[in-house]
């Protein structure tokens, strides 16, 4: 029987999501906010890469173009190890809040930054804040992106329409994201749950997915998942996944390949 595919995806926002959040931030950035993102680059990424290497798995790292430019050595190292680098906007602006011209600019700058850094363009996209727009979906399809991972119309991969072209949607959900459970910033007061409870919840979803024969995606942030008290529980979760003969860990682009041409549904 074919194994159920699980994608471990990481949004490497670093400092971009804070730096460009509001125009006044650029003039007088909040160093505390920025420093949290920098932890993700400095400590988070190396811990995650070591763990994935230990279990022999490849992941997907969604990075804003501005992050790729500011931390090109770190992103290049992720790619060198065989992991997928995917598009996550350029300034981490939410597409649904931008003009069409700005959406074009965000998509094109993000592609250029990744291509310059790792030598080839991305094939996958995740909208910052999961605020995708119909227009940006069309831009992605026109540029031959094979998948998006920002929507929630199903709990298994499906197809969405982008400017008349089918694009695979690898759906997300807030409960399968580390941030609502374990993230905390001055602007977002998360519950800071016991990580063991969170990974039990995630394992329940894995068992449900195996029962349904459906492939799933988890979304994480290096500055959240790689904190010491969380990372131990996360490492156990990943080791358990890697050792389970009913599942296979795949990067998003390979997971999307398994679903190309699956029936179209409304996004
Ligand atoms: Zn993000």
């Amino acid at each position: 029987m074919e194994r159920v595919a699980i994608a471990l995806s990481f949004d490497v926002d670093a400092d971009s999501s804070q730096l460009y959040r509001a125009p006044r931030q650029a003039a007088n950035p909040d160093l505390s906010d920025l420093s949290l993102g920098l932890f993700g680059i400095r400590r988070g990424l190396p811990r995650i890469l070591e763990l994935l290497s230990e279990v022999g798995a490849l992941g997907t790292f969604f990075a804003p173009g501005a992050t790729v430019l500011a931390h090109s050595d770190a992103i290049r190292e992720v790619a060198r190890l065989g992991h997928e680098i995917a598009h996550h906007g350029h300034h981490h602006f939410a597409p649904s809040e931008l003009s069409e011209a700005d959406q074009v600019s965000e998509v094109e700058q993000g592609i250029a930054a990744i291509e310059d850094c790792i030598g080839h363009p991305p094939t996958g996209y995740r909208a910052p804040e999961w605020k995708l727009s119909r227009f940006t979906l069309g831009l992605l399809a026109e540029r031959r992106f094979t998948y998006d991972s920002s929507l929630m119309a199903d709990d298994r991969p499906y197809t969405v329409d982008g400017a008349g072209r089918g694009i695979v949607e690898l759906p997300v959900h807030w409960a399968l994201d580390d941030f609502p459970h374990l993230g905390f910033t001055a602007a977002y007061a998360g519950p800071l749950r016991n990580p063991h409870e969170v990974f039990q919840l995630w394992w329940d979803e894995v068992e449900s997915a195996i029962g349904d024969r459906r492939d799933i995606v988890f979304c994480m942030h290096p500055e959240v998942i790689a904190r010491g008290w969380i990372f131990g529980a996360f490492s156990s979760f990943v080791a358990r996944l890697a050792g389970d003969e009913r599942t296979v860990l795949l990067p998003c682009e390979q997971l999307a390949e398994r679903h190309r041409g699956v029936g179209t549904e409304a996004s």
Side-chain angles (χ1 to χ4, degrees), residues 40-261:
I41 292 286
R42 180 174 293 153
R43 292 283 172 209
L45 270 183
R47 283 182 180 155
I48 292 165
L49 294 175
E50 188 177 346
L51 172 64
L52 294 180
S53 154
E54 277 171 15
V55 300
L58 295 176
T60 297
F61 294 76
F62 291 89
T67 295
V68 175
L69 294 177
H71 306 286
S72 54
D73 288 349
I75 299 299
R76 206 174 286 116
E77 175 64 6
V78 175
R80 189 188 69 76
L81 292 169
H83 302 288
E84 177 190 3
I85 307 296
H87 197 308
H88 192 43
H90 187 71
H91 296 99
H92 205 268
F93 294 150
S96 65
E97 297 171 358
L98 295 177
S99 69
E100 290 189 352
D102 286 345
Q103 291 179 64
V104 171
S105 172
E106 285 291 300
V107 167
E108 292 190 342
Q109 286 187 85
I111 293 172
I114 290 175
E115 191 162 14
D116 285 352
C117 181
I118 65 171
H120 60 84
T123 61
Y125 177 86
R126 173 172 289 153
E129 301 182 51
W130 297 349
K131 290 183 175 176
L132 184 59
S133 70
R134 178 65 65 190
F135 184 75
T136 284
L137 196 52
L139 296 176
L140 301 174
E142 285 166 3
R143 286 156 181 76
R144 305 281 175 184
F145 275 67
T146 58
Y147 76 89
D148 168 72
S149 182
S150 317
L151 305 176
M152 312 182 201
D154 206 342
D155 59 4
R156 65 207 72 201
Y158 58 103
T159 303
V160 287
D161 178 70
R165 220 179 247 132
I167 183 165
V168 177
E169 176 60 39
L170 303 180
V172 291
H173 188 271
W174 300 112
L176 307 181
D177 180 319
D178 59 358
F179 214 94
H181 300 293
L182 301 164
F184 195 101
T185 68
Y188 171 77
L192 293 181
R193 296 180 60 192
N194 178 336
H196 295 281
E197 290 177 7
V198 175
F199 295 114
Q200 181 56 53
L201 184 159
W202 285 15
W203 192 263
D204 291 347
E205 172 63 0
V206 169
E207 289 291 350
S208 166
I210 291 169
D212 291 344
R213 314 296 309 155
R214 59 185 166 87
D215 297 342
I216 55 171
V217 177
F218 289 101
C219 174
M220 291 151 283
H221 299 76
E223 71 271 28
V224 174
I225 204 79
R227 287 282 170 181
W229 73 95
I230 297 170
F231 200 67
F234 176 59
S235 300
S236 300
F237 173 75
V238 172
R240 192 175 176 191
L241 270 179
D244 195 311
E245 61 186 20
R246 302 167 299 168
T247 61
V248 58
L249 292 168
L250 292 181
C252 289
E253 60 185 349
Q254 289 183 32
L255 200 160
E257 276 303 312
R258 288 163 60 122
H259 296 276
R260 286 186 96 162

